[in-house]
């Protein structure tokens, strides 16, 4: 029997933190035979890693800063985006719309609610984001990545589903692989990233911190570090002066392969980063971004730290001596590092994409719609093969 093919809209802000789980969900839905469209902003439509099968529709999204003088313009943009979203829904006819946070999700969800289309929000962080807080009372379901989410009102618990944070399929293939062998005389591979744009504090602290490790550990180091372009030369010189072999770059296309080989990760505590670390099972030293909204990165690390899979250092205390101290504590012997890796693995929620897809599929279309939308794999492939970026016309 040919499976029912439905249409779903995924709405997300233009950052990797919002879009990475959206892309993972899109892959799951398409694998189930559904059609998926993305609503985002200009950044999201052009972001590296967007699947070729996923058409992107750019809508205006108002931003509301602290200055009230800017609010009227923001409201006007939201209303215009809402109108354009409804025009999209007239032709695409989604069964449900899911928002992943960020201002571009707001008009898409408001438009769906105006048309009586079921809506779901997914919160990647351990603190409910601004747009999701605004919409939590009006959506049909709330999916979370953590069991405890700050700023999520208790009265909404009846529609909360703990699913985790969807992870890219290519990363999920690493989950069943063994932690790379770490012996008393083997290489100690360290992976350092600071997010899509790198992080200057990591470039300044990590080389000197690694240089302070005991000789027996330091002599076995093999480092891969993502840096800002403007920091590359200085970081390269620092590693060279310490005699530590390091591969540096502004972007690594094969990041999943490097994660597979890593014994220890050092970096920020974004939701997608933690989801991938726990999916694969890699111990980490995490430095929450101090300017993150509502300090959500500090909240993100708590579960992994409590389990023993990571150590967290606030940025104001992130010094070379402190880093060296924490590395020794987590990698003092092969057994300790392997135990931390297993603790991180236990925090993973590998079924996040499937569980979130199940929630969306629970909002079924009317029987007549299901009959219309039934399509065999060849037709579905032809339709999705022509995906492109489009601007919704007002």
């Amino acid at each position: 029997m040919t499976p029912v093919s439905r249409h779903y809209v995924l709405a997300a802000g233009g950052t990797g933190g919002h879009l990475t789980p959206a892309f993972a969900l899109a892959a799951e839905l398409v694998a189930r035979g559904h059609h998926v469209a993305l609503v985002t902003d200009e950044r999201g439509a052009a972001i590296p890693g967007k699947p070729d099968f996923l058409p992107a529709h750019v809508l205006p999204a108002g931003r509301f800063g602290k200055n009230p003088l800017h609010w009227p313009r923001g409201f006007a943009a939201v209303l215009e985006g809402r109108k354009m979203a409804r025009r999209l829904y007239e032709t695409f006819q989604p069964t449900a719309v899911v928002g992943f946070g960020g201002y571009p999700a707001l008009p898409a969800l408001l438009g769906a609610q105006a048309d009586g289309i079921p809506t779901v929000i997914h919160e990647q962080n351990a603190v409910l984001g601004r747009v999701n807080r605004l919409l939590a009372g009006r959506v049909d379901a709330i999916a979370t990545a953590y069991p405890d989410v700050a700023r999520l009102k208790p009265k909404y618990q009846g529609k909360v589903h703990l699913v985790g944070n969807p992870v890219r399929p290519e990363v999920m293939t690493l989950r069943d692989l063994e932690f790379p062998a770490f012996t008393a005389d083997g290489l100690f591979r360290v992976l350092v990233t600071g997010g899509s744009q790198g992080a200057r504090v990591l470039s300044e602290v990590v080389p000197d911190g690694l240089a302070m490790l005991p000789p027996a550990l330091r002599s076995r180091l093999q480092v891969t570090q993502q840096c800002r372009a403007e920091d590359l030369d200085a970081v390269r010189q620092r590693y060279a002066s310490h005699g530590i072999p390091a591969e540096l770059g502004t972007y690594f296309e094969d990041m999943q392969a490097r994660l597979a080989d890593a014994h220890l990760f050092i970096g920020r505590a974004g939701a997608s980063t933690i989801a991938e670390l726990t999916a694969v099972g890699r111990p980490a030293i995490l430095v929450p971004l101090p300017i993150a909204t509502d300090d959500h990165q500090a909240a993100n690390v708590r579960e992994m730290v409590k389990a023993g899979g990571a150590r967290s250092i606030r940025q104001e205390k992130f010094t070379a001596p402190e880093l060296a101290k924490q590395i020794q504590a987590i990698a003092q012997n092969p057994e300790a590092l392997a135990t931390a890796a297993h603790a991180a693995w236990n925090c993973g929620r590998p079924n996040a994409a499937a569980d979130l897809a199940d929630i969306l599929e629970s909002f079924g279309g009317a029987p007549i719609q299901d009959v219309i939308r039934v399509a065999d794999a060849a037709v579905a492939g032809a339709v999705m093969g022509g995906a492109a970026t489009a601007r919704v016309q007002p």
Side-chain angles (χ1 to χ4, degrees):
M1 180 178 178
T2 306
V4 172
S5 177
R6 295 177 180 148
H7 294 196
Y8 296 99
V9 169
L10 282 54
T15 66
H18 296 305
L19 286 167
T20 298
F23 294 162
L25 175 63
E28 174 69 21
L29 290 171
V30 169
R32 296 186 183 196
H34 301 303
H35 300 278
V36 185
L38 173 70
V39 168
T40 186
D41 56 17
E42 296 280 2
R43 293 180 303 164
I47 197 168
K50 185 179 79 65
D52 292 336
F53 63 77
L54 185 61
H57 301 271
V58 176
L59 298 183
R63 296 180 178 275
F64 302 92
K66 296 181 179 180
N67 187 346
L69 295 177
H70 296 161
W71 293 354
R73 183 183 302 173
F75 282 120
V78 169
L79 292 176
E80 181 65 17
R82 175 178 174 271
K83 181 176 71 173
M84 293 165 67
R86 297 183 71 182
R87 289 180 64 88
L88 171 64
Y89 301 155
E90 287 178 5
T91 55
F92 194 69
Q93 296 186 344
T95 296
V97 176
V98 54
F100 288 86
Y103 286 111
L106 182 56
L109 289 164
L110 291 177
Q113 290 166 352
D115 288 344
I117 300 169
T119 54
V120 178
I121 55 175
H122 178 271
E123 179 54 60
Q124 301 91 56
N125 295 299
V127 180
L128 200 64
R130 292 174 181 173
V131 170
N132 284 348
R133 287 202 299 268
L134 183 64
L135 294 167
R138 304 179 59 179
V139 298
D140 296 282
I142 301 170
T144 66
Y146 295 93
D148 298 312
V149 178
R151 299 208 173 191
L152 178 57
K153 295 181 180 179
K155 65 181 179 180
Y156 300 144
Q157 286 299 321
K159 56 182 176 181
V160 172
H161 305 263
L162 174 61
V163 299
N165 203 2
V167 171
R168 295 174 294 159
E170 57 267 32
V171 173
M172 284 306 307
T173 62
L174 307 177
R175 181 164 176 82
D176 293 330
L177 300 181
E178 295 289 335
F179 182 65
F182 180 66
T183 61
D185 56 358
L187 288 175
F188 179 29
R189 291 187 289 270
V190 178
L191 176 62
V192 186
T193 76
S196 59
Q197 298 301 317
R200 177 158 292 170
V201 68
L202 297 174
S203 296
E204 294 172 346
V205 173
V206 173
D208 295 344
L210 294 175
M212 292 182 178
L213 293 174
L217 194 57
R218 171 180 162 173
S219 64
R220 298 187 283 126
L221 282 169
Q222 186 176 78
V223 181
T224 299
Q225 182 162 347
Q226 178 196 38
C227 310
R228 295 173 182 265
E230 59 268 31
D231 296 337
L232 275 174
D233 289 341
V235 177
R236 186 174 291 112
Q237 291 175 8
R238 284 190 172 185
Y239 278 118
S241 67
H242 296 313
I244 297 174
E247 181 182 2
L248 309 179
T250 58
Y251 178 75
F252 296 108
E253 291 186 359
D254 59 341
M255 186 60 77
Q256 64 270 17
R258 296 171 187 275
L259 183 60
D261 290 338
H263 295 113
L264 178 67
F265 174 88
I266 302 173
R268 293 299 194 189
S272 292
T273 294
I274 291 180
E276 293 189 355
L277 291 172
T278 56
V280 178
R282 292 298 179 269
I285 294 176
L286 301 170
V287 186
L289 180 67
I291 61 172
T293 305
D294 299 317
D295 201 21
H296 65 256
Q297 288 201 4
N300 289 348
V301 305
R302 290 171 188 157
E303 182 181 36
M304 195 175 174
V305 169
K306 183 177 180 180
R311 289 171 177 264
S312 177
I313 307 174
R314 297 306 298 242
Q315 183 161 311
E316 62 271 18
K317 297 181 179 179
F318 185 58
T319 63
E322 181 63 21
L323 176 61
K325 172 184 173 183
Q326 296 299 337
I327 292 176
Q328 290 181 71
I330 204 171
Q332 57 187 337
N333 57 63
E335 292 77 16
L337 197 63
T339 298
H342 188 65
W345 191 89
N346 280 337
C347 291
R349 295 183 173 87
N351 298 320
D355 290 345
L356 186 52
D358 287 345
I359 293 173
L360 293 182
E361 286 186 332
S362 71
F363 301 104
I368 185 63
Q369 290 177 308
D370 289 345
V371 172
I372 292 172
R373 293 174 184 170
V374 168
D376 61 25
V379 174
V383 172
M384 298 311 293
T389 299
R391 180 181 296 278
V392 178
Q393 297 298 319

